[in-house]
Amino acid sequence: MEIKVINEQENLQEVMQVLLTHLEPSKVMKFWAACKLSEGDYLQVKENYLLKK
């Protein structure tokens, strides 16, 4: 059986894309702050999301 190790940064970016797709940006940022995910760059995540659309 193979185990795929998930890259944490890629995983967070994918989760943020899902949240930004279904919620208002202000709600996503409040959630991000509550989870203490401020290490990431919201603007970069948002830009990557918009480029993929």
Side-chain angles (χ1 to χ4, degrees), residues 15-16 19 26-37:
V15 168
M16 290 302 291
L19 291 174
S26 61
K27 289 182 179 181
V28 175
M29 291 304 96
K30 284 186 177 209
F31 173 76
W32 195 344
C35 293
K36 301 189 188 318
L37 298 174

Side-chain angles (χ1 to χ4, degrees), residues 9-47:
Q9 185 63 32
E10 289 175 5
N11 190 50
L12 281 176
Q13 286 182 343
E14 185 176 344
V15 168
M16 290 302 291
Q17 288 173 2
V18 170
L19 291 174
L20 286 167
T21 298
H22 297 285
L23 296 172
E24 298 171 25
S26 61
K27 289 182 179 181
V28 175
M29 291 304 96
K30 284 186 177 209
F31 173 76
W32 195 344
C35 293
K36 301 189 188 318
L37 298 174
S38 59
E39 294 176 9
D41 183 351
Y42 161 72
L43 295 177
Q44 184 64 46
V45 171
K46 181 180 175 186
E47 184 176 317

